[in-house]
């Protein structure tokens, strides 16, 4: 019956029927609605799931799904409401849940993005990302967060901090294409002689034509501004 209501676009009625079924099915239904961009219905389904959520982790992960929707719709205040609930949840930050859910680091990652979009001081955005690293589930995620910090520092022309972050990432054995991109941007901004050799590395190692084209465009624009 729940599926029949859903096929007819009667999502609220479908959600009521899912309440009588296994909780996991309601969560799958909510995610499917989100994937189909039926955002209002998806939020209702996630909220319904949260009413029966068995623990802090599943509750937080449902909230993060709502946050992703609100961010897509540019509803920053609504997103921030859920993010701060996760951020301030002492149970979620406890040893039991701290590193068993993506919600802890993702909430701080999104709060950083919102801080930047609201033109707050970059130190606020960096603070959230530094906190997010403490909850990273693995080194790959930690490196991804470090790259975001490096990009912010780059825009502030804090090249020393950028170098330190890149060194940390490379020391972990993770050589991302984004590392080359950041180093290339730094070389352009600092008028370093390394720019040409880094561009060559990008062209050799990048599997993305768009990535290479962006680098070439940046080189062209840099030369126009510097008159080289």
């Amino acid at each position: 019956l729940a599926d029949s209501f859903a096929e007819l676009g009667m999502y609220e009625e479908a959600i009521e029927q899912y309440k009588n079924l296994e909780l996991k099915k309601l969560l799958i239904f909510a995610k499917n609605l989100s994937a189909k961009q039926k955002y209002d219905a998806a939020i209702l389904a996630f909220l319904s799931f949260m009413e029966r959520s068995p623990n802090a982790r599943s509750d937080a992960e449902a909230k993060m799904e709502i946050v992703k929707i609100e961010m897509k719709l540019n509803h920053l205040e609504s997103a921030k409401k859920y993010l701060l609930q996760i951020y301030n949840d002492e149970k979620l930050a406890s040893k039991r849940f701290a590193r068993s859910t993506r919600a802890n680091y993702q909430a701080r990652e999104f709060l950083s993005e919102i801080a930047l979009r609201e033109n707050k001081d970059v130190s606020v955005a960096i603070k959230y990302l530094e906190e997010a690293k403490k909850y990273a589930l693995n080194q790959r995620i930690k490196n991804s967060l470090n790259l975001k910090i490096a990009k912010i520092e780059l825009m502030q022309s804090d090249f020393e901090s950028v170098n330190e972050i890149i060194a940390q990432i490379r020391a972990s054995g993770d050589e991302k294409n984004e590392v080359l991109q950041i180093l290339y941007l730094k070389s352009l901004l600092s008028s370093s002689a390394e720019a040409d050799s880094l561009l060559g590395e990008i062209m050799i190692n990048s599997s993305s034509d768009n990535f290479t084209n962006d680098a070439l465009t940046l080189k062209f624009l840099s030369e126009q501004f510097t008159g080289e």
Side-chain angles (χ1 to χ4, degrees):
L1 189 57
D3 290 339
S4 298
F5 279 128
E7 288 175 6
L8 293 171
M10 301 170 67
Y11 300 121
E12 291 186 36
E13 291 81 356
I15 291 168
E16 286 299 315
Q17 294 300 315
Y18 272 108
K19 288 180 180 180
N20 302 317
L21 303 176
E22 184 183 358
L23 187 57
K24 183 179 179 180
K25 292 183 178 180
L26 176 57
L27 183 60
I28 292 171
F29 179 59
K31 289 181 177 180
N32 287 339
L33 287 172
S34 181
K36 294 176 181 176
Q37 299 183 3
K38 305 294 183 182
Y39 294 136
D40 289 340
I43 289 173
L44 287 176
F46 283 122
L47 290 172
S48 180
F49 172 85
M50 286 159 55
E51 290 174 1
R52 297 166 54 197
S53 176
N55 55 52
R57 179 175 59 193
S58 60
D59 182 77
E61 290 176 355
K63 285 177 182 175
M64 283 307 308
E65 293 295 334
I66 295 177
V67 166
K68 291 172 186 176
I69 293 172
E70 299 290 18
M71 293 292 285
K72 287 178 183 176
L73 299 174
N74 203 34
H75 296 165
L76 301 188
E77 287 303 316
S78 295
K80 198 188 302 183
K81 178 184 74 174
Y82 291 106
L83 289 169
L84 289 174
Q85 287 176 13
I86 296 170
Y87 184 84
N88 294 314
D89 191 330
E90 293 181 3
K91 184 181 291 186
L92 201 63
S94 67
K95 288 183 179 180
R96 180 184 176 190
F97 293 112
R99 290 180 178 274
S100 66
T101 174
R102 293 172 295 177
N104 276 318
Y105 82 80
Q106 285 182 336
R108 289 155 177 81
E109 189 175 11
F110 275 115
L111 284 168
S112 173
E113 180 181 338
I114 289 174
L116 292 174
R117 288 169 68 172
E118 291 180 337
N119 294 316
K120 292 186 177 178
D121 193 283
V122 294
S123 63
V124 176
I126 291 173
K127 178 182 79 72
Y128 281 128
L129 290 172
E130 290 288 357
E131 290 181 14
K133 284 161 54 179
K134 298 175 184 177
Y135 296 99
L137 304 184
N138 53 52
Q139 187 63 44
R140 180 185 58 80
I141 293 170
K142 189 174 182 179
N143 286 344
S144 177
L145 294 167
N146 264 330
L147 281 170
K148 291 196 172 188
I149 296 173
K151 289 175 183 177
I152 296 172
E153 299 286 22
L154 185 63
M155 294 303 103
Q156 301 303 304
S157 297
D158 188 348
F159 302 135
E160 185 176 341
S161 294
V162 173
N163 287 337
E164 290 175 1
I165 293 169
I166 297 302
Q168 289 175 25
I169 294 171
R170 284 181 158 172
S172 73
D174 189 4
E175 186 65 68
K176 294 176 176 289
N177 280 334
E178 282 183 277
V179 169
L180 286 176
Q181 184 185 38
I182 289 172
L183 288 174
Y184 180 62
L185 287 170
K186 181 175 76 70
S187 69
L188 290 178
L189 291 171
S190 61
S191 301
S192 169
E194 293 180 324
D196 286 341
S197 63
L198 285 167
L199 179 59
E201 278 192 71
I202 289 172
M203 295 176 71
I204 292 169
N205 296 317
S206 177
S207 60
S208 169
D209 288 337
N210 290 335
F211 188 88
T212 302
N213 288 338
D214 287 346
L216 289 168
T217 300
L218 285 169
K219 178 175 173 59
F220 172 76
L221 292 174
S222 174
E223 289 173 349
Q224 296 301 304
F225 281 115
T226 59
E228 292 180 3

